[in-house]
Amino acid sequence: MTQYAFFKGTIVPIDQAKISIMTHAFNYGTGCFEGIRGYWNEDDRQLYVFRLLEHYQRLLQSAKILLMSPRYTAEELCATTVELLRREGFQSDAYIRPVAYKTNEQIGVKLHDLNDDLCIFATPYGRYVENEEGAHVGFSSWQRISDNNIPPRSKITGAYVNSALIKTEAMLNGYDEALVINERGHVCEGSAENIFILRGGKLITPPVYEDILEGITRNTVIELASKELGLETIERPISRTEFYVADAAFFCGTGVQVVNIAKVDHRVVGDGQLGPVVKALRDLYFDVVRGKVAKYKQWCTPVY
Ligand code: PMP
């Protein structure tokens, strides 16, 4: 249960962290946010927050795109988050949600000459997608937003209507998740995940100019695949039917973690089972995030 929030510069009980219905971000979606995971390690009796600094560095980039000037550095926000989590006292996996938002209580669609503030809350958290070892996904009839309409590089609150349309369509059609194409017709992401396919022993993922969020898990996977599995990742556009004929495919993201894709549009990917490469990456990822791999422990910020 969530008890506290960081709100207006201080940690307060969660029921005091309220904003007006006139708030600019509520009316126009002019906020940006992060999704960060904390992993409880029972052996260490410790909560480790994964790649905390990178998430705040990305939040500040998102804020810059929205012409915000947050009054905190990424390092200060890390310290505040640790303090908030200590107050919560979680002894379970947790999800941390910072939101920077335009605070003015006024009408008028714009980004300039407005004030902004930043709030953070955290909540206990579990899995994000059913069928983590064999998700069945379908291509969305919706298109991904692009850099020249709502930039996907920035985690903008209003932009998540696009993700919600994609996700809900997929779920109501009986899929576990969706794949989505960008305006150039290339496969770019899931509703809120980055994507990889495996073809000919190489990992392939869309490059950062393909209307994707520059995912922190994506970077993690590229690094772990290269350093631990000797697997190179090629960053290049991917077309829809490449998913049909791939040897394996998976989603990755803070929420989804690493989820194997077993079927795309009713076609079996590979042999439809969790194959050795995705299994190895999944296992490694779960060990790394939980602070069990000494070499990558610098990515895990201890709370207690
Ligand atoms: N793409 C989108 C649209 C997302 O919302 C997310 C989740 N933040 C991701 C990709 C994965 O990014 P990350 O690994 O940094 O969580």
Side-chain angles (χ1 to χ4, degrees), residues 99-244:
V99 188
Y101 63 104
K102 302 278 187 185
T103 55
N104 300 62
E105 296 175 13
Q106 73 182 54
I107 296 297
V109 185
K110 60 175 187 173
L111 293 174
H112 66 286
D113 294 341
L114 292 170
N115 302 320
D116 55 83
D117 201 355
L118 194 151
C119 59
I120 314 172
F121 65 92
T123 176
Y125 200 66
R127 74 163 60 187
Y128 182 85
V129 168
E130 294 303 316
N131 299 327
E132 290 191 346
E133 299 196 352
H136 187 186
V137 310
F139 270 91
S140 184
S141 68
W142 297 97
Q143 199 177 76
R144 184 83 178 119
I145 46 172
S146 73
D147 203 49
N148 290 311
N149 52 63
I150 304 179
R153 172 172 286 104
S154 175
K155 252 180 105 62
I156 297 169
T157 54
Y160 277 73
V161 172
N162 180 243
S163 293
L165 288 166
I166 293 163
K167 177 83 181 192
T168 286
E169 181 193 50
M171 301 291 286
L172 296 184
N173 285 339
Y175 294 111
D176 298 310
E177 245 303 335
L179 286 164
V180 61
I181 58 173
N182 61 20
E183 63 185 13
R184 289 176 292 282
H186 301 143
V187 192
C188 56
E189 289 191 311
S191 66
E193 306 87 16
N194 291 112
I195 48 163
F196 285 77
I197 56 174
L198 179 74
R199 287 193 81 189
K202 290 194 172 128
L203 289 174
I204 306 167
T205 197
V208 293
Y209 55 79
E210 278 281 30
D211 301 317
I212 65 167
L213 182 73
E214 298 177 351
I216 290 163
T217 319
R218 176 183 177 277
N219 286 346
T220 304
V221 165
I222 292 172
E223 187 165 341
L224 292 178
S226 158
K227 290 196 178 145
E228 304 305 318
L229 306 179
L231 259 183
E232 187 193 344
T233 301
I234 301 167
E235 297 183 51
R236 65 152 175 83
I238 301 177
S239 33
R240 177 173 187 157
T241 55
E242 279 202 278
F243 263 85
Y244 297 176

Side-chain angles (χ1 to χ4, degrees), residues 61-135:
Q61 282 183 26
S62 294
K64 184 176 192 182
I65 291 173
L66 290 182
L67 278 178
M68 290 177 175
S69 23
R71 50 193 164 123
Y72 311 101
T73 63
E75 289 76 11
E76 285 165 347
L77 291 166
C78 291
T80 300
T81 301
V82 166
E83 176 58 27
L84 179 69
L85 289 167
R86 273 192 203 138
R87 293 278 288 273
E88 292 285 7
F90 295 139
Q91 295 196 359
S92 64
D93 292 351
Y95 194 81
I96 303 126
R97 167 55 48 81
V99 188
Y101 63 104
K102 302 278 187 185
T103 55
N104 300 62
E105 296 175 13
Q106 73 182 54
I107 296 297
V109 185
K110 60 175 187 173
L111 293 174
H112 66 286
D113 294 341
L114 292 170
N115 302 320
D116 55 83
D117 201 355
L118 194 151
C119 59
I120 314 172
F121 65 92
T123 176
Y125 200 66
R127 74 163 60 187
Y128 182 85
V129 168
E130 294 303 316
N131 299 327
E132 290 191 346
E133 299 196 352

